[in-house]
């Protein structure tokens, strides 16, 4: 779960290609995290078949076989037209096929059937975030975070913090990231953004402390390398900056972060 959010959050410079890549990360993560929650089967005579249809549909979404996914999910919808799980899976399929209006519609249909299901609400919030609808996403993530027993509450808190930062509410974002780090001191997204926010504020020593913890978490990315270069240069550690620049070039030569590095040097 954590790596999904790291990948999504690090693609904050949304060129069309990066935005598409981020969306694919979201879809893969949401499908993979679907779990085996209870399916509303009051209209189905065979809940085992229904469950298999839904899981097959999600598997085909992950594999990019959308026609087969549509086939199984259409059957599942006929079997259980009031199933929130089916509508959530259909929303993920429409998201994957770039039919965003339909994805929004089916996420909302899912929530209308099970408004207290935090997993479905988190899926919808993640969809909104992938569309840069940060105001709407923040509202939904807040409701997820308010569910103190939700198993993926920490990740929802991270996503809420990212939304708050995108909405220029740095104080709220910082508070949320700090709370996440009390739960998990090596959470990569919280560490990255906390380091970045200290760097932006001119607190280079604090930025370096958090960046070092991020480096320990083994979640390296183009964004974390670029931030490391900036911090190293601000501290006069030119050899470290040069070493990270070589790595950025060799591993992420096509990234927006490497282009930013080239443009500034």
């Amino acid at each position: 779960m954590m790596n999904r959010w790291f990948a999504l959050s690090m693609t904050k410079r949304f060129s069309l290609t990066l935005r598409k890549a981020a969306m694919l990360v979201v879809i893969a993560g949401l499908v993979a995290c679907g779990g085996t929650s209870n399916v509303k089967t009051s209209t189905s005579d065979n809940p085992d078949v229904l469950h298999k249809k839904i899981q097959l549909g999600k598997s085909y979404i992950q594999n990019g076989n959308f026609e087969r996914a549509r086939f199984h999910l259409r059957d599942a919808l006929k079997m259980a037209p009031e199933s929130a799980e089916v509508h959530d899976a259909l929303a993920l399929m429409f998201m994957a096929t770039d039919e965003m209006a339909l994805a929004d519609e089916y996420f909302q249909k899912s929530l209308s059937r099970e408004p207290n299901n935090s997993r479905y609400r988190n899926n919808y919030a993640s969809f909104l975030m992938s569309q840069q609808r940060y105001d709407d996403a923040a509202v939904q993530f807040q409701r997820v975070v308010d569910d103190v027993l939700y198993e993926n509450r920490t990740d929802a808190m991270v996503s809420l913090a990212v939304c708050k930062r995108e909405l220029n509410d740095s104080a709220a974002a910082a508070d949320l990231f700090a709370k996440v780090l009390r739960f998990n001191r090596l959470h990569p997204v919280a560490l990255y953004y906390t380091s970045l926010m200290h760097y932006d504020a001119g607190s280079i020593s604090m930025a370096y402390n958090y960046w070092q913890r991020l480096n320990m978490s083994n979640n390296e990315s183009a964004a974390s390398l670029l931030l490391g270069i900036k911090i190293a240069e601000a501290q006069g550690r030119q050899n470290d900056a040069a070493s990270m620049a070589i790595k950025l070039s060799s591993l992420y030569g096509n990234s927006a972060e490497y282009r930013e590095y080239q443009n500034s040097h």
Side-chain angles (χ1 to χ4, degrees):
M1 191 74 168
M2 190 183 300
N3 288 336
R4 167 169 68 91
W5 288 117
F6 191 64
L8 170 62
S9 300
M10 295 305 99
T11 56
K12 64 187 293 288
R13 299 169 182 80
F14 280 96
S15 68
L16 181 61
T17 302
L18 284 174
R19 187 175 173 193
K20 190 75 172 180
M23 194 183 307
L24 292 174
V25 170
V26 174
I27 294 164
L30 296 184
V31 172
C33 293
T36 55
S37 66
N38 292 329
V39 179
K40 296 293 185 181
T41 58
S42 58
T43 58
S44 172
D45 294 329
N46 195 330
D48 290 338
V49 172
L50 175 62
H51 177 75
K52 184 176 181 180
K53 285 282 185 183
I54 294 172
Q55 295 309 310
L56 280 171
K58 289 183 176 181
S59 178
Y60 281 121
I61 292 170
Q62 275 190 295
N63 294 330
N65 191 337
F66 302 122
E67 289 308 309
R68 294 301 297 169
R70 194 183 306 270
F71 172 81
H72 287 290
L73 293 177
R74 183 183 60 219
D75 283 355
L77 187 62
K78 290 178 181 177
M79 295 172 68
E82 293 304 312
S83 167
E85 181 84 3
V86 174
H87 285 85
D88 182 74
L90 282 164
L92 294 172
M93 182 190 73
F94 288 128
M95 186 177 174
T97 56
D98 205 25
E99 298 172 275
M100 297 308 170
L102 284 170
D104 196 313
E105 177 186 343
Y106 275 81
F107 276 127
Q108 292 194 53
K109 285 182 176 181
S110 176
L111 283 172
S112 72
R113 286 155 174 80
E114 290 193 42
N116 295 323
N117 189 305
S118 291
R119 179 165 65 83
Y120 300 151
R121 191 169 299 281
N122 189 69
N123 286 355
Y124 183 41
S126 300
F127 162 74
L128 294 170
M129 186 180 180
S130 77
Q131 299 300 294
Q132 296 179 270
R133 293 167 56 184
Y134 298 115
D135 275 313
D136 295 333
V139 170
Q140 299 299 327
F141 279 127
Q142 184 63 64
R143 291 189 61 177
V144 176
V145 169
D146 288 343
D147 180 358
V148 297
L149 299 181
Y150 177 51
E151 63 270 22
N152 292 316
R153 181 173 178 246
T154 300
D155 286 322
M157 199 175 294
V158 168
S159 298
L160 176 59
V162 173
C163 288
K164 291 293 187 181
R165 187 175 187 276
E166 293 292 343
L167 294 168
N168 297 315
D169 191 348
S170 296
D175 287 345
L176 285 161
F177 286 132
K179 190 171 185 178
V180 169
L181 290 174
R182 289 198 295 272
F183 297 151
N184 178 358
R185 67 181 303 274
L186 292 179
H187 196 293
V189 182
L191 286 171
Y192 170 81
Y193 275 107
T194 303
S195 177
L196 178 62
M197 292 167 77
H198 279 297
Y199 175 82
D200 289 342
S203 302
I204 304 301
S205 179
M206 289 295 292
Y208 182 53
N209 288 341
Y210 283 100
W211 185 87
Q212 282 185 308
R213 284 166 60 183
L214 172 61
N215 201 38
M216 289 169 52
S217 72
N218 296 318
N219 278 278
E220 185 182 86
S221 69
S224 67
L225 280 172
L226 179 61
L227 177 58
I229 292 168
K230 291 178 178 179
I231 293 170
E233 289 178 340
Q235 293 180 317
R237 296 184 291 109
Q238 298 304 328
N239 288 341
D240 289 343
S243 177
M244 284 184 282
I246 292 171
K247 184 179 283 190
L248 181 63
S249 171
S250 61
L251 296 179
Y252 306 100
N254 293 322
S255 67
E257 287 79 6
Y258 182 60
R259 289 193 294 275
E260 180 181 333
Y261 171 79
Q262 286 182 305
N263 292 335
S264 63
H265 289 76

